Amino acid sequence: MTITIIAGARPNFMKIAPIIEAIQTKRKHGINIKYRLVHTGQHYDKNLSHTFFEELQIPLPDINLDVKSGTQAEQTGAIMIAFEKELEQNPCDLVLVVGDVTSTMACAIVAKKHGVKVAHVEAGIRSGDIDMPEEINRIVTDSLTDYFFTTSNYANQNLKNLGISESNIFFVGNVMIDTLLKNESRFKKPSFWNSFKLEPKKYLVLTLHRPSNVDEENKLKILITKISVLSENYKIIFPVHPRTKKHLNNLNLNFKNLKFVNPLGYLEFNYLVKHSLAVLTDSGGITEETTVLNIPCITLRNSTERPETCEVGTNVLVGNDLEKLSNAFKKLLSGEWRSGTIPELWDGKSAKRIVNHLIDIYQL
């Protein structure tokens, strides 16, 4: 059996790493399963892409489609054109896509039109916010998927509501957490730790990249100003996404406690998260990691595709509501933030379950 694995953006790399490791382990035990890794090039910044292959010890891609940036349509089209050629030249039995980035949707479409079955890792998650590009990617990908690997019972139910047969839904847990738990002992201090005089639990981490937060400069300025004021004497470490950087350049934000840094590699970023007082973010994946690391997380979105991080984890949604943001800070700074628990099957063994299911499906 040959699987083509798709990775395009930073969140994908963390998800494919344990799957590739699980496949390699089965091959060592004589199972006839192999993979071809296709990097679409959707993220091409070194700190958003290449660094992750080094840090997570992922074998280099068999091919990089090198599509780079563009509008949603330009990027989707470029990925589809390049991946169609790739599939023609390198046939496979299954295309495995992960997450909800543009590469996920584009490659799923090409695979199905090429007559190849699709497996979707992290299937079934929904935010209910159709204005998010990722939500569109999820809906389209799941409408084409043959085998659905899910992270939660919420996702299972979403798929059942769509009429998906339970025999094609596999509740396996969260591969992001496989990577987190495997590498936790390898987390390392960022290079600026000493120069910023950082101390555990004496700083906050901020990440922003979603269009709803960063594309309107006045809204972005109000949000960062409010966070900087509420943080009082706590430093804010802000790794700036390339999408956000171009807007920040025009805002002239000069708060003493606000520290802008370049995007970080996986090991440095998660060291920063693990030792922080809290994280403020509009990322979905980071809410999963903070839940497992038991770090308070304030999510600057009105909805989440990962409700388990709010129900049992450490995450609270505040959106752009400055009053909700203020109330969250009051709880945080008074030490009243609730301690979360870890969702079911977020145990570091999800990738093994996925590969075992594929071996059963294809009777290897």
Side-chain angles (χ1 to χ4, degrees), residues 188-196 198 261 264 268 271-272:
K188 60 184 181 182
K189 286 183 181 179
S191 58
F192 52 75
W193 181 271
N194 292 331
S195 60
F196 285 169
L198 297 182
V261 299
L264 298 171
E268 288 187 327
Y271 184 97
L272 204 61

Side-chain angles (χ1 to χ4, degrees), residues 84-295:
E84 183 178 56
K85 293 176 183 175
E86 157 64 23
L87 265 189
E88 287 172 352
Q89 294 168 5
N90 297 281
C92 64
D93 301 296
L94 179 75
V95 169
L96 186 146
V97 296
V98 297
D100 51 23
V101 301
T102 300
S103 299
T104 305
M105 176 189 71
C107 292
I109 293 171
V110 171
K112 289 302 286 186
K113 290 201 169 189
H114 211 71
V116 180
K117 289 189 179 295
V118 174
H120 184 198
V121 175
E122 212 175 71
I125 65 173
R126 297 288 187 274
S127 68
D129 182 0
I130 201 66
D131 291 330
M132 290 177 59
E134 294 89 347
E135 187 76 350
I136 298 168
N137 295 342
R138 295 173 196 128
I139 292 168
V140 174
T141 302
D142 281 341
S143 71
L144 300 172
T145 291
D146 297 282
Y147 308 117
F148 303 80
F149 296 106
T150 63
T151 60
S152 70
N153 282 311
Y154 293 105
N156 297 341
Q157 193 58 52
N158 288 336
L159 294 170
K160 291 174 189 175
N161 292 345
L162 293 172
I164 304 298
S165 170
E166 289 190 37
S167 63
N168 290 340
I169 300 171
F170 305 92
F171 178 30
V172 294
N174 192 331
V175 288
M176 284 267 286
I177 305 310
D178 291 20
T179 297
L180 185 77
L181 296 178
K182 179 186 176 182
N183 290 285
E184 188 173 1
S185 63
R186 300 175 60 232
F187 293 169
K188 60 184 181 182
K189 286 183 181 179
S191 58
F192 52 75
W193 181 271
N194 292 331
S195 60
F196 285 169
K197 298 180 180 178
L198 297 182
E199 299 177 51
K201 307 303 177 186
K202 296 291 180 66
Y203 64 90
L204 307 171
V205 177
L206 172 65
T207 78
L208 292 169
H209 74 282
R210 295 195 182 275
S212 58
N213 282 325
V214 307
D215 281 3
E216 292 182 34
E217 291 183 357
N218 189 54
K219 183 189 288 188
L220 179 61
K221 185 173 185 176
I222 290 170
L223 183 59
I224 294 178
T225 298
K226 186 68 172 179
I227 290 169
S228 300
V229 171
L230 287 171
S231 298
E232 298 177 352
N233 297 320
Y234 290 90
K235 294 184 178 75
I236 305 166
I237 310 302
F238 187 0
V240 180
H241 189 281
R243 179 188 184 94
T244 311
K245 186 175 183 178
K246 61 182 180 181
H247 297 291
L248 286 174
N249 290 338
N250 301 323
L251 297 183
N252 195 28
L253 294 166
N254 293 307
F255 295 96
K256 283 186 177 180
N257 61 338
L258 185 60
K259 310 292 184 184
F260 298 107
V261 299
N262 290 326
L264 298 171
Y266 183 84
L267 301 178
E268 288 187 327
F269 180 75
N270 279 294
Y271 184 97
L272 204 61
V273 169
K274 181 178 180 178
H275 296 281
S276 68
L277 177 68
V279 173
L280 297 99
T281 188
D282 58 11
S283 163
I286 292 172
T287 68
E288 298 171 306
E289 293 162 335
T290 51
T291 282
V292 171
L293 294 172
N294 199 28
I295 300 296

Side-chain angles (χ1 to χ4, degrees), residues 37-44 49 53 61-68:
L37 178 56
V38 174
H39 183 353
T40 67
Q42 181 180 334
H43 273 177
Y44 50 91
S49 176
F53 285 86
D62 293 282
I63 188 171
N64 188 327
L65 304 182
D66 202 28
V67 299
K68 298 191 176 176

